[in-house]
């Protein structure tokens, strides 16, 4: 099973460039999340989505945008890359409802450097 | 800010039980205790969660104190592959479940 797939795995951007980090899941989960992790730190929530067409801000949303047009995909957009956005980005998904574990499944991450 | 407190690092000998403590003194009545781990910068991996009863699965056991203000994750027979950063998180099980990761405990299993 593929689970949560993130692309690309690595990327180097110049200051001011833009890019989209892709995330797709094949588990038909309704919730999806974007986190960032700076060196030596825990993950911080950027944005999350409760289903197609519905997104909401997390703890550190500034400088990012998201959309959720399908259940499977949850792309993260950086419009004007800044050095402070150098980080590792993780996407996660979660199923909800009674009788299930209600846990988050994470992708392998995208390592982004902004120079 | 994370609502849990964990030791920064711990060591354990291979084959021994690894006991990782976590304090969550401000946990509310309907919040669960979750444990995730992160092996060498991979994506976090779910281990176990519980509300107030002790829990066990194929990976670990979770012991929650009666007052729910602390818990211990137990890896019964630690292997080198258990070397990772372990995160203790308190969260509602339903709703947005916006996980708050602290810095976790870096567990090193020594041969």
């Amino acid at each position: 099973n593929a689970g949560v797939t993130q692309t690309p795995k690595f990327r180097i951007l110049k200051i001011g460039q833009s890019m989209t980090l892709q995330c797709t899941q094949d588990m038909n989960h309704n919730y999806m999340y974007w986190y960032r992790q700076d060196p030596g730190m825990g993950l911080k929530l950027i944005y999350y989505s409760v289903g197609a067409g519905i997104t909401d801000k997390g703890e550190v949303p500034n400088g990012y945008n998201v959309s959720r047009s399908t259940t499977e995909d949850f792309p993260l957009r950086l419009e004007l890359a800044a050095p402070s956005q150098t980080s590792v980005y993780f996407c996660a998904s979660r199923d909800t409802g009674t009788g299930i574990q209600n846990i988050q499944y994470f992708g392998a991450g995208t390592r982004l450097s902004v120079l | 800010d994370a609502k849990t407190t964990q030791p920064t690092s711990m060591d354990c000998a291979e084959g021994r039980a690894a006991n990782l403590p976590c304090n969550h003194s401000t946990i509310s009545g309907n919040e669960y205790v979750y444990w995730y781990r992160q092996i060498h910068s991979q994506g976090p991996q779910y281990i176990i969660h519980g509300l107030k009863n002790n829990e066990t699965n194929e990976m670990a056991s979770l012991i929650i104190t009666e007052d729910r203000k602390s818990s211990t994750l137990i890896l019964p027979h630690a292997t080198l592959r258990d070397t990772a950063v372990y995160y203790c998180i308190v969260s509602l099980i339903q709703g947005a479940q916006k996980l708050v990761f602290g810095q976790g405990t870096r567990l090193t299993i020594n041969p």
Side-chain angles (χ1 to χ4, degrees):
Chain A
N1 291 334
V4 179
T5 302
Q6 294 184 236
T7 56
K9 287 184 168 47
F10 304 95
R11 183 74 185 267
I12 298 174
L13 283 182
K14 294 182 179 179
I15 295 172
Q17 287 185 320
S18 62
M19 77 163 293
T20 299
L21 283 67
Q22 302 291 346
C23 176
T24 187
Q25 52 96 4
D26 62 357
M27 298 175 282
N28 201 34
H29 287 174
N30 43 2
Y31 275 84
M32 294 188 75
Y33 305 81
W34 275 107
Y35 295 86
R36 61 175 285 174
Q37 184 175 33
D38 298 330
M41 306 297 288
L43 283 70
K44 292 185 183 297
L45 182 64
I46 305 171
Y47 271 96
Y48 67 99
S49 169
V50 305
I54 306 171
T55 63
D56 205 349
K57 296 177 181 179
E59 183 183 355
V60 289
N62 291 344
Y64 306 94
N65 284 300
V66 293
S67 59
R68 184 98 180 268
S69 57
T70 67
T71 299
E72 294 79 18
D73 300 306
F74 189 39
L76 178 71
R77 179 82 177 164
L78 283 70
E79 291 293 351
L80 290 171
S84 61
Q85 294 177 305
T86 294
S87 191
V88 182
Y89 292 83
F90 291 101
C91 179
S93 73
R94 166 179 154 246
D95 199 359
T96 59
T98 57
I100 60 172
Q101 286 191 310
N102 244 304
I103 63 177
Q104 294 188 24
Y105 295 85
F106 287 80
T110 294
R111 189 175 299 273
L112 176 67
S113 294
V114 182
L115 305 175
Chain B
D1 291 332
K3 296 190 286 185
T4 63
T5 304
Q6 300 176 250
T8 302
S9 63
M10 294 182 64
D11 286 90
C12 180
E14 188 178 18
R16 303 296 294 268
N19 296 281
L20 288 82
C22 179
N23 287 321
H24 32 80
S25 58
T26 60
I27 191 170
S28 61
N30 55 354
E31 286 183 315
Y32 282 68
V33 180
Y34 284 83
W35 284 83
Y36 284 78
R37 73 180 182 183
Q38 189 173 25
I39 297 173
H40 191 54
S41 300
Q42 297 176 15
Q45 175 191 25
Y46 166 81
I47 302 172
I48 198 167
H49 72 286
L51 182 62
K52 53 185 177 181
N53 296 323
N54 298 338
E55 302 287 345
T56 296
N57 63 20
E58 65 278 3
M59 291 183 69
S61 295
L62 174 60
I63 309 297
I64 302 174
T65 57
E66 192 169 343
D67 64 6
R68 302 209 324 122
K69 291 185 177 182
S70 66
S71 60
T72 301
L73 177 75
I74 302 172
L75 307 178
H77 303 288
T79 70
L80 298 179
R81 288 177 294 181
D82 292 321
T83 292
V85 177
Y86 287 77
Y87 296 100
C88 169
I89 302 166
V90 296
S91 174
L92 298 173
I93 198 168
Q94 294 290 354
Q97 202 187 79
K98 294 181 281 186
L99 300 182
V100 178
F101 288 77
Q103 291 190 264
T105 296
R106 182 171 298 277
L107 175 67
T108 301
I109 307 300
N110 300 306

